[in-house]
Amino acid sequence: MQISGVVLKIFEETEKDDFTERIIRIKSFEKDQLLDIYAYNKLAFRTGFLKIGEQVTFSIILRGIEVGKKQETQIVLQKPIKPDLILTKDHPIDGIEWIRKDSRIPK
């Protein structure tokens, strides 16, 4: 399943049940809704390189979770499609370990 939209907010990484979690809030193109996309572990790290206002397309899965006595649906990032969020250490900027490959400054 895919979802597309514009990034509105990128939350800080948190530790939850032995996982690293990050929430990305987007405004979807399909129904003009605000949606929270949950990213875990390596994807939580990579999504930290998104930009506010950037258009994104994600492959997602829906997961049912219990919240108190209710069941809710959580949208979980399976794979970023656009942008691809490929990271690199091959750059001339001192003091920064990783950057997005598509934002690399030519040497």
Side-chain angles (χ1 to χ4, degrees):
M1 195 172 186
Q2 289 186 4
I3 194 159
S4 297
V6 174
V7 176
L8 298 178
K9 185 170 184 174
I10 302 165
F11 292 87
E12 292 295 320
E13 286 183 348
T14 59
E15 296 294 321
K16 185 176 180 183
D17 300 328
D18 295 330
F19 293 103
T20 303
E21 175 184 86
R22 183 188 305 272
I23 300 171
I24 308 300
R25 182 162 294 148
I26 70 168
K27 184 173 184 180
S28 76
F29 293 141
E30 289 81 17
K31 295 191 178 186
D32 204 30
Q33 294 175 304
L34 297 182
L35 300 171
D36 287 343
I37 313 295
Y38 289 77
Y40 293 95
N41 298 329
K42 289 181 183 177
L43 289 175
F45 175 73
R46 288 174 56 199
T47 55
F49 290 86
L50 289 169
K51 300 172 186 128
I52 303 297
E54 186 169 30
Q55 291 186 13
V56 295
T57 301
F58 293 145
S59 174
I60 59 165
I61 55 174
L62 301 178
R63 179 175 83 162
I65 59 168
E66 287 187 28
V67 178
K69 294 182 180 181
K70 291 194 273 182
Q71 185 86 359
E72 290 189 6
T73 302
Q74 186 180 69
I75 304 168
V76 179
L77 175 62
Q78 186 175 31
K79 177 182 172 186
I81 296 171
K82 179 184 171 188
D84 59 18
L85 293 179
I86 295 173
L87 304 179
T88 183
K89 290 184 176 183
D90 182 24
H91 61 82
I93 305 168
D94 289 332
I96 295 178
E97 187 173 3
W98 292 97
I99 65 167
R100 278 175 56 170
K101 193 170 185 176
D102 61 0
S103 66
R104 184 172 54 181
I105 301 166
K107 289 184 178 180

